[in-house]
Amino acid sequence: MSSNSVNHPHQKPILVLLAGRTFPEIRKTDGDFDDWIAQGLGEQNAVTRMDAREVEALPSPAEIAGVVVSGSHAMVTEHLPWSERLAQWLKSCVDANVPVLGICYGHQVLAHACGGVVDYHPDGIEIGSHRIQITEAAQQDLLFAQMPGEFPAQLVHSQSVRKLPAGAVLLASGEHEAHQAYRVGNCAWGVQFHPEFSSQAMKKYIQLLEQKLISENCDVQALNSAVVDTPDSAELLRRFAEICNRK
Protein backbone atom coordinates (compact mmCIF):
# COMPACT_ATOMS: atom_id res chain seq x y z
CA MET A 1 0.00 0.00 0.00
CA SER A 2 0.97 3.66 0.09
CA SER A 3 4.12 4.76 1.85
CA ASN A 4 1.97 7.38 3.56
CA SER A 5 0.59 4.81 5.98
CA VAL A 6 1.08 5.37 9.69
CA ASN A 7 2.79 2.51 11.54
CA HIS A 8 0.29 0.80 13.87
CA PRO A 9 1.28 -2.87 14.20
CA HIS A 10 -1.51 -5.49 14.23
CA GLN A 11 -4.11 -2.90 13.18
CA LYS A 12 -5.67 -2.84 9.72
CA PRO A 13 -5.51 0.67 8.28
CA ILE A 14 -8.39 2.92 7.35
CA LEU A 15 -7.85 3.76 3.69
CA VAL A 16 -8.25 7.43 2.73
CA LEU A 17 -8.86 7.30 -1.00
CA LEU A 18 -8.47 10.48 -3.04
CA ALA A 19 -10.87 10.95 -5.93
CA GLY A 20 -9.36 14.38 -6.58
CA ARG A 21 -7.53 17.25 -4.94
CA THR A 22 -8.48 20.70 -3.76
CA PHE A 23 -7.38 23.91 -5.49
CA PRO A 24 -3.59 24.52 -5.49
CA GLU A 25 -4.17 27.88 -3.76
CA ILE A 26 -5.81 26.06 -0.83
CA ARG A 27 -3.39 23.14 -0.81
CA LYS A 28 -0.40 25.47 -0.36
CA THR A 29 -1.65 26.93 2.91
CA ASP A 30 -4.28 24.53 4.31
CA GLY A 31 -3.39 21.04 3.07
CA ASP A 32 -5.58 18.75 0.98
CA PHE A 33 -8.64 16.52 1.28
CA ASP A 34 -6.64 13.54 2.57
CA ASP A 35 -4.95 15.69 5.23
CA TRP A 36 -8.29 16.98 6.50
CA ILE A 37 -9.91 13.54 6.45
CA ALA A 38 -7.00 11.89 8.28
CA GLN A 39 -7.06 14.64 10.89
CA GLY A 40 -10.81 14.16 11.36
CA LEU A 41 -10.45 10.39 11.78
CA GLY A 42 -7.94 10.97 14.59
CA GLU A 43 -4.18 10.62 14.86
CA GLN A 44 -4.51 7.44 16.92
CA ASN A 45 -5.78 5.54 13.86
CA ALA A 46 -3.71 3.64 11.31
CA VAL A 47 -4.35 5.51 8.07
CA THR A 48 -3.17 4.71 4.54
CA ARG A 49 -3.60 7.25 1.74
CA MET A 50 -3.93 6.43 -1.95
CA ASP A 51 -4.97 8.35 -5.06
CA ALA A 52 -7.68 6.38 -6.87
CA ARG A 53 -6.83 8.13 -10.13
CA GLU A 54 -3.22 6.95 -10.10
CA VAL A 55 -3.13 3.41 -8.67
CA GLU A 56 -3.42 0.38 -10.93
CA ALA A 57 -5.08 -1.82 -8.31
CA LEU A 58 -6.87 -1.04 -5.08
CA PRO A 59 -6.28 -3.28 -2.02
CA SER A 60 -8.42 -6.27 -1.21
CA PRO A 61 -11.31 -5.24 1.08
CA ALA A 62 -9.98 -7.84 3.55
CA GLU A 63 -6.78 -5.80 3.99
CA ILE A 64 -8.46 -2.63 5.31
CA ALA A 65 -10.53 -1.66 8.35
CA GLY A 66 -12.61 0.75 6.26
CA VAL A 67 -12.36 3.37 3.53
CA VAL A 68 -13.17 7.07 3.16
CA VAL A 69 -13.54 8.33 -0.43
CA SER A 70 -12.89 12.05 -0.88
CA GLY A 71 -14.53 14.71 -2.96
CA SER A 72 -13.30 15.65 -6.43
CA HIS A 73 -13.59 18.38 -9.03
CA ALA A 74 -14.42 15.62 -11.55
CA MET A 75 -18.00 14.50 -12.28
CA VAL A 76 -19.32 10.96 -11.81
CA THR A 77 -21.29 11.28 -15.09
CA GLU A 78 -17.98 11.56 -17.00
CA HIS A 79 -17.57 7.80 -16.31
CA LEU A 80 -13.79 8.15 -16.27
CA PRO A 81 -11.99 4.78 -16.30
CA TRP A 82 -10.48 5.24 -12.82
CA SER A 83 -13.89 6.23 -11.45
CA GLU A 84 -15.61 3.18 -12.92
CA ARG A 85 -12.88 0.95 -11.43
CA LEU A 86 -13.40 2.71 -8.09
CA ALA A 87 -17.17 2.08 -8.33
CA GLN A 88 -16.65 -1.66 -8.90
CA TRP A 89 -14.22 -1.84 -5.99
CA LEU A 90 -16.60 0.06 -3.67
CA LYS A 91 -19.36 -2.42 -4.50
CA SER A 92 -17.02 -5.23 -3.44
CA CYS A 93 -16.44 -3.40 -0.12
CA VAL A 94 -20.19 -3.06 0.43
CA ASP A 95 -20.68 -6.76 -0.33
CA ALA A 96 -17.87 -7.66 2.10
CA ASN A 97 -19.34 -5.50 4.92
CA VAL A 98 -16.24 -3.29 5.01
CA PRO A 99 -17.16 0.18 6.37
CA VAL A 100 -17.32 2.82 3.61
CA LEU A 101 -17.76 6.58 3.91
CA GLY A 102 -18.17 8.43 0.62
CA ILE A 103 -17.88 12.23 0.80
CA CYS A 104 -19.38 14.40 -1.98
CA TYR A 105 -17.93 12.72 -5.10
CA GLY A 106 -17.44 9.62 -2.94
CA HIS A 107 -21.13 9.80 -1.95
CA GLN A 108 -22.12 9.97 -5.59
CA VAL A 109 -19.79 7.26 -6.91
CA LEU A 110 -20.94 4.91 -4.12
CA ALA A 111 -24.55 5.47 -5.18
CA HIS A 112 -23.60 4.88 -8.82
CA ALA A 113 -21.76 1.68 -7.83
CA CYS A 114 -24.87 0.33 -6.10
CA GLY A 115 -27.38 1.16 -8.83
CA GLY A 116 -28.38 4.74 -7.97
CA VAL A 117 -28.57 7.64 -10.42
CA VAL A 118 -26.17 10.61 -10.40
CA ASP A 119 -26.67 13.76 -12.47
CA TYR A 120 -26.51 17.55 -12.35
CA HIS A 121 -28.86 19.11 -9.82
CA PRO A 122 -31.63 21.00 -11.69
CA ASP A 123 -31.28 23.98 -9.34
CA GLY A 124 -27.54 24.32 -9.94
CA ILE A 125 -24.67 24.54 -7.49
CA GLU A 126 -25.05 24.26 -3.70
CA ILE A 127 -22.21 25.91 -1.81
CA GLY A 128 -21.51 27.26 1.67
CA SER A 129 -22.77 26.32 5.13
CA HIS A 130 -26.31 24.89 5.05
CA ARG A 131 -28.65 23.20 7.53
CA ILE A 132 -29.05 19.42 7.32
CA GLN A 133 -32.00 17.55 8.85
CA ILE A 134 -31.73 13.89 9.81
CA THR A 135 -34.54 11.42 9.14
CA GLU A 136 -36.28 9.18 11.65
CA ALA A 137 -34.28 6.23 10.29
CA ALA A 138 -31.03 8.04 11.17
CA GLN A 139 -31.90 7.80 14.87
CA GLN A 140 -31.27 4.02 14.68
CA ASP A 141 -28.27 4.26 12.35
CA LEU A 142 -24.81 3.18 13.53
CA LEU A 143 -23.12 6.35 12.23
CA PHE A 144 -25.87 8.96 12.58
CA ALA A 145 -27.65 7.93 15.80
CA GLN A 146 -25.86 10.53 17.95
CA MET A 147 -26.34 13.42 15.51
CA PRO A 148 -28.66 16.29 16.46
CA GLY A 149 -31.92 16.57 14.54
CA GLU A 150 -30.52 19.49 12.58
CA PHE A 151 -26.93 20.66 12.10
CA PRO A 152 -24.92 22.90 9.76
CA ALA A 153 -22.52 21.40 7.20
CA GLN A 154 -20.19 22.62 4.46
CA LEU A 155 -21.26 21.93 0.88
CA VAL A 156 -19.97 22.45 -2.63
CA HIS A 157 -21.47 20.38 -5.45
CA SER A 158 -23.15 20.69 -8.83
CA GLN A 159 -24.05 17.01 -9.23
CA SER A 160 -26.22 15.00 -6.84
CA VAL A 161 -27.57 11.54 -6.20
CA ARG A 162 -30.83 12.03 -8.09
CA LYS A 163 -32.10 8.52 -7.24
CA LEU A 164 -30.91 6.39 -4.32
CA PRO A 165 -29.86 2.77 -4.90
CA ALA A 166 -32.58 0.19 -4.33
CA GLY A 167 -32.80 -0.65 -0.62
CA ALA A 168 -30.76 2.39 0.47
CA VAL A 169 -31.86 4.12 3.69
CA LEU A 170 -32.19 7.92 3.54
CA LEU A 171 -30.53 9.45 6.60
CA ALA A 172 -30.47 13.21 5.97
CA SER A 173 -31.92 15.89 3.69
CA GLY A 174 -31.60 19.61 3.12
CA GLU A 175 -33.58 22.40 1.50
CA HIS A 176 -31.63 22.22 -1.78
CA GLU A 177 -30.63 18.56 -1.74
CA ALA A 178 -33.03 15.75 -0.84
CA HIS A 179 -30.32 13.09 -0.52
CA GLN A 180 -27.76 14.57 1.86
CA ALA A 181 -26.89 11.22 3.43
CA TYR A 182 -27.85 7.56 3.00
CA ARG A 183 -26.69 4.07 3.91
CA VAL A 184 -26.41 1.06 1.64
CA GLY A 185 -25.91 -2.39 3.11
CA ASN A 186 -24.91 -2.63 6.75
CA CYS A 187 -22.06 -0.12 6.95
CA ALA A 188 -21.59 1.93 3.77
CA TRP A 189 -22.55 5.60 3.96
CA GLY A 190 -22.64 8.48 1.53
CA VAL A 191 -22.71 12.11 2.66
CA GLN A 192 -23.10 14.90 0.12
CA PHE A 193 -21.67 17.43 2.57
CA HIS A 194 -18.02 17.77 3.65
CA PRO A 195 -17.40 16.77 7.30
CA GLU A 196 -13.67 17.39 6.73
CA PHE A 197 -14.02 21.05 5.62
CA SER A 198 -13.14 23.90 7.96
CA SER A 199 -15.03 27.19 7.70
CA GLN A 200 -11.79 28.68 6.37
CA ALA A 201 -11.66 26.16 3.52
CA MET A 202 -15.32 26.83 2.75
CA LYS A 203 -14.74 30.58 2.47
CA LYS A 204 -11.81 29.97 0.14
CA TYR A 205 -13.99 27.77 -2.11
CA ILE A 206 -16.58 30.54 -2.35
CA GLN A 207 -13.84 33.03 -3.20
CA LEU A 208 -12.22 30.80 -5.86
CA LEU A 209 -15.57 29.96 -7.47
CA GLU A 210 -16.83 33.55 -7.37
CA GLN A 211 -17.19 33.99 -11.13
CA LYS A 212 -19.08 30.70 -11.53
CA LEU A 213 -21.35 31.65 -8.63
CA ILE A 214 -22.08 35.07 -10.12
CA SER A 215 -22.91 33.40 -13.45
CA GLU A 216 -25.44 31.21 -11.59
CA ASN A 217 -27.00 34.29 -9.92
CA CYS A 218 -25.70 33.43 -6.46
CA ASP A 219 -25.23 36.16 -3.84
CA VAL A 220 -21.54 35.64 -3.09
CA GLN A 221 -21.47 38.10 -0.19
CA ALA A 222 -24.46 36.43 1.48
CA LEU A 223 -22.92 32.98 1.02
CA ASN A 224 -19.64 34.11 2.51
CA SER A 225 -21.22 35.80 5.52
CA ALA A 226 -23.34 32.69 6.24
CA VAL A 227 -20.32 30.37 6.63
CA VAL A 228 -20.12 28.89 10.13
CA ASP A 229 -18.07 26.24 11.93
CA THR A 230 -19.57 22.74 11.64
CA PRO A 231 -18.44 20.63 14.63
CA ASP A 232 -21.41 18.23 14.54
CA SER A 233 -20.70 17.36 10.92
CA ALA A 234 -16.99 16.90 11.70
CA GLU A 235 -17.85 14.36 14.43
CA LEU A 236 -18.96 11.89 11.74
CA LEU A 237 -15.33 11.23 10.79
CA ARG A 238 -14.33 10.37 14.35
CA ARG A 239 -17.40 8.17 14.73
CA PHE A 240 -16.69 6.43 11.43
CA ALA A 241 -13.16 5.63 12.67
CA GLU A 242 -14.67 4.06 15.80
CA ILE A 243 -16.91 1.85 13.64
CA CYS A 244 -13.91 0.76 11.55
CA ASN A 245 -11.90 -0.11 14.64
CA ARG A 246 -14.71 -2.26 16.05
CA LYS A 247 -14.87 -4.42 12.94
Side-chain angles (χ1 to χ4, degrees):
M1 283 199 217
S2 160
S3 60
N4 289 325
S5 59
V6 177
N7 185 24
H8 289 255
H10 315 303
Q11 188 180 347
K12 289 183 185 178
I14 301 171
L15 178 60
V16 175
L17 203 49
L18 280 166
R21 293 195 174 275
T22 189
F23 291 108
E25 298 94 324
I26 296 176
R27 195 157 65 239
K28 259 186 256 180
T29 55
D30 298 84
D32 211 334
F33 296 143
D34 54 336
D35 301 313
W36 307 340
I37 291 167
Q39 184 179 10
L41 292 170
E43 291 180 1
Q44 73 278 14
N45 294 291
V47 171
T48 293
R49 309 183 195 197
M50 299 177 81
D51 192 326
R53 303 166 303 168
E54 297 175 0
V55 296
E56 288 184 15
L58 291 163
S60 162
E63 295 176 12
I64 59 173
V67 58
V68 183
V69 184
S70 80
S72 178
H73 296 172
M75 298 293 170
V76 170
T77 55
E78 294 173 306
H79 299 295
L80 298 167
W82 66 264
S83 185
E84 293 301 296
R85 286 196 300 272
L86 171 59
Q88 288 185 339
W89 181 81
L90 283 174
K91 183 63 168 65
S92 73
C93 289
V94 174
D95 292 344
N97 281 324
V98 171
V100 175
L101 179 62
I103 297 171
C104 197
Y105 189 96
H107 158 92
Q108 295 165 16
V109 77
L110 175 63
H112 167 62
C114 296
V117 177
V118 176
D119 208 342
Y120 283 94
H121 195 291
D123 295 331
I125 192 169
E126 181 179 35
I127 189 169
S129 303
H130 296 280
R131 306 294 297 180
I132 308 293
Q133 292 83 36
I134 68 166
T135 64
E136 192 173 336
Q139 295 168 22
Q140 283 79 47
D141 181 76
L142 195 59
L143 183 62
F144 274 79
Q146 297 171 51
M147 293 295 283
E150 184 174 292
F151 60 93
Q154 316 294 3
L155 287 134
V156 52
H157 67 111
S158 293
Q159 292 201 333
S160 295
V161 177
R162 304 305 299 150
K163 183 181 176 184
L164 290 174
V169 178
L170 180 66
L171 300 173
S173 301
E175 188 176 344
H176 177 99
E177 173 55 53
H179 304 137
Q180 284 287 0
Y182 65 89
R183 187 186 73 249
V184 285
N186 294 321
C187 54
W189 294 271
V191 293
Q192 182 58 69
F193 53 90
H194 285 274
E196 81 282 18
F197 267 37
S198 65
S199 55
Q200 178 176 299
M202 190 72 262
K203 286 185 174 182
K204 289 184 178 180
Y205 260 83
I206 293 169
Q207 179 187 350
L208 289 163
L209 293 171
E210 183 173 3
Q211 292 309 310
K212 174 180 172 60
L213 296 171
I214 290 169
S215 74
E216 292 199 27
N217 299 313
C218 297
D219 186 335
V220 174
Q221 189 175 347
L223 285 168
N224 198 57
S225 63
V227 172
V228 295
D229 291 332
T230 54
D232 289 316
S233 168
E235 268 292 292
L236 286 172
L237 284 168
R238 186 193 60 77
R239 204 167 297 135
F240 180 73
E242 289 180 351
I243 291 167
C244 294
N245 291 331
R246 288 204 298 267
K247 281 282 174 179

